[in-house]
Amino acid sequence: STQSTWGVQLGTCIPEQPHYKTSLSFYSSDIQGFTTISERSSIEDLMTMVNVFVGIHTKHIRRCGGEIAKFIGDCVVGYFSKSSSAVIAATAALAEVTKIRTTDYSLPLLQDMRCGIGIDHGSVVVCSIGKIISDIAFLGPCMSQALAVEGLTRSLNTGILITDNVYRQIDQSLPGITFEDCGSHFVGNQSLKLWSVE
């Protein structure tokens, strides 16, 4: 990673320019049932859980060549130049979350740690927003669609969902990874074909 002129860490997949149009895959994950969990947990236990969760996703996103776009509460949003890297990171992160939930009894709250992951791919404009307090921004629908797709993992009872935009970008013969057609579902005001990843 390099330090940008805006003071944020940029991955190698984002050229350092005031604005730039490119194609990226966005990865979104949060803790399922977090609102309910937070209402019955101490602040200390809750922060431990969030830090473990965020640490897992950050590690696998960066290990697979991605970077963190932002944190939204307990939600982690990452971006990748290659869709296959996003899918590999998602399967590794989900496996680690599941392992901790079922084997780590140091904090009872970790046994409630479940996550869904949504991934979308598309064109975005990368730019700096704000004059007094500047931030990197990604203009385009695919980040918000990744967040919305992640929300569908609950109703479709799966850990990872990708859009057809992602599916068409990747090699479907990724070792140890299988895909299942979940049909089309409304994401915002449009219908998107989705695939589950196992």
Side-chain angles (χ1 to χ4, degrees):
S1 299
T2 57
Q3 189 76 16
S4 79
T5 53
W6 308 317
V8 295
Q9 293 294 320
L10 300 182
T12 55
C13 54
I14 299 292
E16 290 193 61
Q17 298 184 25
H19 59 274
Y20 186 81
K21 187 173 184 179
T22 188
S23 293
L24 295 172
S25 291
F26 282 92
Y27 165 125
S28 169
S29 183
D30 68 5
I31 300 171
Q32 294 181 347
F34 183 73
T35 300
T36 300
I37 293 170
S38 65
E39 289 173 348
R40 58 176 172 79
S41 305
S42 69
I43 294 175
E44 292 76 15
D45 286 353
L46 199 64
M47 289 307 302
T48 298
M49 182 189 198
V50 170
N51 283 324
V52 169
F53 181 83
V54 167
I56 290 170
H57 287 279
T58 299
K59 176 179 69 176
H60 289 292
I61 287 170
R62 290 181 169 160
R63 180 175 289 173
C64 292
E67 283 294 332
I68 301 300
K70 61 177 63 183
F71 300 112
I72 309 170
D74 63 304
C75 178
V76 181
V77 182
Y79 61 87
F80 297 79
S81 58
K82 296 180 179 180
S83 291
S84 57
S85 298
V87 171
I88 292 169
T91 57
L94 182 62
E96 186 168 350
V97 168
T98 301
K99 181 179 179 181
I100 287 176
R101 187 180 74 245
T102 56
T103 64
D104 189 336
Y105 302 107
S106 61
L107 178 67
L109 198 59
L110 294 179
Q111 296 166 42
D112 293 329
M113 189 170 66
R114 292 175 170 79
C115 73
I117 302 170
I119 306 173
D120 190 27
H121 180 88
S123 296
V124 294
V125 174
V126 184
C127 60
S128 177
I129 298 293
K131 293 182 179 180
I132 299 175
I133 301 176
S134 63
D135 192 12
I136 188 171
F138 301 90
L139 307 182
C142 57
M143 180 190 285
S144 60
Q145 286 179 174
L147 271 75
V149 168
E150 184 277 321
L152 292 174
T153 58
R154 300 159 179 76
S155 59
L156 295 179
N157 194 32
T158 188
I160 305 169
L161 280 176
I162 64 174
T163 64
D164 200 51
N165 290 335
V166 176
Y167 184 78
R168 289 186 280 107
Q169 291 285 327
I170 62 179
D171 179 358
Q172 284 83 49
S173 61
L174 288 172
I177 298 176
T178 59
F179 303 89
E180 181 178 343
D181 187 343
C182 292
S184 296
H185 299 266
F186 274 98
V187 177
N189 59 359
Q190 63 177 316
S191 179
L192 296 180
K193 183 176 177 61
L194 301 177
W195 299 80
S196 66
V197 180
E198 301 293 338

